[in-house]
Amino acid sequence: MQHEIEIKLIVSNEIEETLKDLSNKQDVKLINQQFDLENIYFDTPDKKLRQWDMGLRIRVNDQHIEQTIKTAGEVIGGLHQRPEYNIDITTRTPQLDLFPQQIWPKDTDLNALNNEISPLFSTNFKRQGFMMVYPDGAVVEMVLDKGVIDSGDREVAVHEVELELVKGKPELIFDLAQALSQGTCVRFGVDSKAARGYMLAKGQRHEVSSLGTVKLSHDDTLETAYIKAINHGLAHWQRHIEVFIEQGNYDAIVEIRKALSLIIKANEIYSGYFHDDQLKQLTKSLFWLMEELAFIDNFRRIEQLLDNNGHKLKKLDAQAHVISLLEDELASLPSVDALVSLFNNEQHTALVSRLMQWLFFKPWQQQPLPSLEKFQTKLLRKKASSLLENDWNLIQQSLPFDMDLTYQDYLAQRFNLLHNFKVGLCVGEMFEESDRQKFRAPWIDITYGIDQLLQFEPIRQLLRKDKLIDDGDIQKWLDRKEASLLHAMEQSRKQALKLTPYWRE
């Protein structure tokens, strides 16, 4: 068995020159190879291997045929770790009984399974490889793959670099990834060729999905809960980068910002147990990306106002003029191409790399702090209630029951409400889902109401910038919209403040 540790990078067409320059600059012995690879992936009609988180492949390289099975592993950003078993065979038909018996689920009938499997898709590409042997004996295999994934009448292009650590310290492949990002457009690849092939075979693609709660177990310590939260946010972030690049769907940007906010909140919740300057710099970079994507709120509000030919503005006498001004504002915001460039640039790639290394190397474990032991041994379920209670007390103080709140009051508390939800995402699975949903429902209504209030902010901005001249009609129209929304939000708030928090029950 091998336990591969590799980084996958999605690269641009300029990568070949960058690879040559990089390999020439490294103090290494280079062994260059170039060959064509045919890979055939197999599964049963009901995708039994996929359900077991296993991948079966036959690779043909000239006259050499090898069967490989990869078992369940771990993915941190673009860093992939999966146990794999490789066996030479003489035909293109898998021979499952040659793999170690212990890798299979209990009571698996290998003969029956072997008869069930059939080709599902193939990946065919030209591989240019550099075996990099360092003076200290470390070895890294760097390969460029260019080709296609093919399943029936569907195919998708492959253009990626893989950095596999054969021998040595994992820092090597992170350093190489960083060096590559300085010469061309690069981003970490979340999905393996096999994962993309399975999606292609099913006719699926990545879709926008709402950020859910961190998956936890009742025996999670604070440390394992923290790692799960950061992993959860990073995976959501990277998945929605792919959604955006494939589809240009700006809803994916909303989800990326939610993921970034979750990571920042998790760092805030747990960082009291360890102190690290690296984390401070990491958080600073996360805020940089949040700011780069902050335009999305205004983008969506303008889109909503322009939806259905500006139907929401139909009662404005200046409807046509307002629509024209809003279209100009929308055109000034970042384009799809600009955002794709952002997600492939050196600064973004470096940020993802630092977060991956933070999770992989866990540098906080090297700090001789008394609080570290508590961080590693205290169970989250003993801490979760107090985390939620602290935020709840802040909400009660900010939105008191016996006070009538204004538009500005609600806007001022939007940040606190959203971050309160992030605490719930981080630790909520310690509690019953039905109790959580009942308690959260009116607060979700309130945050939706705040978003509806802010929907008209682009028009207020036009008024503030004197781009839109108002004789009083526009402000009256805005006031009516505001009053109607505030009435509904106040009812939801009164209801919400009467509920018993689920973490106390």
Side-chain angles (χ1 to χ4, degrees):
M1 180 189 77
Q2 297 177 353
H3 197 91
E4 65 173 16
I5 299 178
E6 66 178 26
I7 283 176
K8 299 180 187 295
L9 300 168
I10 309 300
V11 298
S12 67
N13 291 327
E14 295 79 30
I15 193 66
E16 293 185 59
E17 285 302 316
T18 304
L19 285 173
K20 290 177 184 176
D21 291 344
L22 178 62
S23 58
N24 290 334
K25 291 175 184 176
Q26 296 285 316
D27 182 20
V28 295
K29 178 183 177 182
L30 283 177
I31 304 171
N32 296 348
Q33 304 175 55
Q34 185 165 313
F35 42 85
D36 294 327
L37 290 177
E38 178 187 359
N39 302 276
I40 310 163
Y41 288 79
F42 295 80
D43 209 335
T44 64
D46 59 353
K47 309 299 183 293
K48 192 171 294 181
L49 296 179
R50 192 67 174 159
Q51 292 170 30
W52 294 341
D53 202 9
M54 304 175 87
L56 174 64
R57 175 190 73 201
I58 283 184
R59 170 168 287 176
V60 182
N61 177 12
D62 194 16
Q63 299 301 312
H64 180 238
I65 304 176
E66 178 185 68
Q67 68 175 12
T68 296
I69 195 155
K70 296 187 179 186
T71 58
E74 181 181 13
V75 177
I76 301 174
L79 181 71
H80 298 246
Q81 301 179 84
R82 295 190 73 181
E84 68 171 51
Y85 301 82
N86 303 293
I87 296 176
D88 290 343
I89 55 177
T90 57
T91 70
R92 292 174 178 239
T93 302
Q95 300 174 53
L96 301 184
D97 59 340
L98 297 181
F99 291 118
Q101 181 66 39
Q102 69 269 19
I103 70 172
W104 302 105
K106 187 178 179 180
D107 298 327
T108 299
D109 184 336
L110 286 182
N111 288 330
L113 184 62
N114 218 122
N115 291 330
E116 281 187 74
I117 58 175
S118 61
L120 188 62
F121 61 91
S122 64
T123 64
N124 303 294
F125 51 87
K126 187 177 292 293
R127 169 162 286 184
Q128 182 179 354
F130 303 86
M131 191 68 75
M132 308 174 73
V133 183
Y134 289 77
D136 64 356
V139 181
V140 173
E141 184 179 10
M142 178 168 64
V143 300
L144 169 64
D145 291 337
K146 295 174 66 175
V148 296
I149 303 171
D150 190 312
S151 180
D153 59 351
R154 294 187 290 266
E155 69 175 37
V156 64
V158 171
H159 199 195
E160 65 184 35
V161 166
E162 292 184 1
L163 303 170
E164 182 175 352
L165 183 69
V166 179
K167 181 181 178 183
K169 297 180 179 180
E171 288 91 339
L172 271 176
I173 55 176
F174 285 106
D175 291 343
L176 281 170
Q178 181 64 27
L180 284 173
S181 72
Q182 295 172 5
T184 187
C185 295
V186 167
R187 71 180 184 276
F188 288 97
V190 181
D191 294 319
S192 65
K193 297 182 192 70
R196 281 176 279 169
Y198 283 112
M199 292 187 69
L200 190 68
K202 294 178 182 178
Q204 295 176 338
R205 64 177 187 175
H206 293 308
E207 300 290 351
V208 174
S209 59
S210 184
L211 181 66
T213 54
V214 178
K215 301 303 178 186
L216 300 168
S217 63
H218 278 267
D219 59 353
D220 277 334
T221 64
L222 297 177
E223 183 180 43
T224 54
Y226 170 69
I227 292 170
K228 286 181 177 180
I230 304 299
N231 253 322
H232 184 65
L234 177 58
H236 196 76
W237 164 11
Q238 291 192 281
R239 186 74 62 209
H240 282 84
I241 285 176
E242 298 309 312
V243 173
F244 183 79
I245 289 174
E246 289 174 11
Q247 303 171 32
N249 186 341
Y250 278 80
D251 287 343
I253 305 298
V254 176
E255 292 301 320
I256 292 170
R257 290 194 87 232
K258 287 181 183 178
L260 293 169
S261 182
L262 176 70
I263 295 171
I264 291 169
K265 190 63 178 179
N267 284 336
E268 177 189 323
I269 289 172
Y270 297 105
S271 62
Y273 294 95
F274 53 86
H275 305 286
D276 196 291
D277 289 338
Q278 183 181 343
L279 179 61
K280 294 177 183 176
Q281 291 301 313
L282 189 56
T283 302
K284 183 178 179 181
S285 295
L286 290 166
F287 275 115
W288 158 76
L289 186 55
M290 285 283 285
E291 186 60 29
E292 289 290 311
L293 303 179
F295 78 93
I296 191 61
D297 289 337
N298 207 35
F299 183 97
R300 294 184 79 214
R301 290 165 195 158
I302 294 174
E303 275 205 324
Q304 288 169 1
L305 290 171
L306 293 175
D307 188 42
N308 196 16
N309 296 317
H311 179 74
K312 292 180 180 179
L313 310 173
K314 66 179 181 179
K315 293 186 178 180
L316 279 178
D317 291 338
Q319 181 191 30
H321 184 47
V322 171
I323 288 175
S324 176
L325 291 172
L326 290 175
E327 288 174 340
D328 290 342
E329 289 289 320
L330 192 65
S332 71
L333 297 177
S335 65
V336 170
D337 288 344
L339 290 167
V340 170
S341 295
L342 170 66
F343 295 137
N344 285 287
N345 75 17
E346 180 184 347
Q347 191 170 358
H348 181 270
T349 302
L351 168 57
V352 175
S353 178
R354 289 201 301 274
L355 189 57
M356 287 164 54
Q357 292 180 70
W358 177 256
L359 287 171
F360 184 79
F361 295 112
K362 304 176 181 63
W364 64 82
Q365 294 181 349
Q366 309 307 315
Q367 299 176 5
L369 296 173
S371 56
L372 180 61
E373 182 179 358
K374 183 182 291 185
F375 184 55
Q376 294 181 314
T377 58
K378 186 173 182 177
L379 295 178
L380 175 64
R381 56 187 168 85
K382 295 182 178 180
K383 179 70 174 176
S385 294
S386 63
L387 289 171
L388 291 162
E389 189 71 22
N390 289 340
D391 266 33
W392 174 239
N393 289 336
L394 178 61
I395 295 296
Q396 288 180 303
Q397 293 168 15
S398 306
L399 303 172
F401 185 89
D402 56 356
M403 179 178 170
D404 293 330
L405 301 184
T406 66
Y407 171 78
Q408 292 300 331
D409 291 328
Y410 276 109
L411 294 194
Q413 296 308 317
R414 180 173 182 262
F415 181 84
N416 286 336
L417 285 170
L418 291 176
H419 276 262
N420 180 259
F421 284 144
K422 297 300 183 295
V423 176
L425 290 176
C426 285
V427 304
E429 289 225 349
M430 292 289 99
F431 308 93
E432 287 294 329
E433 182 178 4
S434 58
D435 295 336
R436 296 199 320 263
Q437 296 303 330
K438 180 180 178 181
F439 183 80
R440 284 165 57 93
W443 292 108
I444 291 173
D445 289 343
I446 291 169
T447 55
Y448 177 75
I450 294 174
D451 288 342
Q452 291 299 298
L453 286 172
L454 286 168
Q455 184 184 116
F456 303 102
E457 189 62 21
I459 297 176
R460 294 187 181 92
Q461 290 178 1
L462 292 174
L463 290 171
R464 287 194 289 268
K465 295 176 182 177
D466 293 328
K467 291 185 177 182
L468 184 60
I469 306 303
D470 181 24
D471 59 4
D473 287 344
I474 296 176
Q475 189 58 55
K476 289 179 182 176
W477 178 79
L478 288 171
D479 290 343
R480 288 195 299 271
K481 295 286 187 184
E482 179 183 308
S484 176
L485 285 167
L486 281 174
H487 177 72
M489 291 165 65
E490 282 290 82
Q491 288 185 317
S492 292
R493 183 174 66 88
K494 301 289 186 181
Q495 175 192 352
L497 290 169
K498 291 178 181 178
L499 295 174
T500 302
Y502 59 85
W503 56 88
R504 293 179 185 172
E505 297 178 353

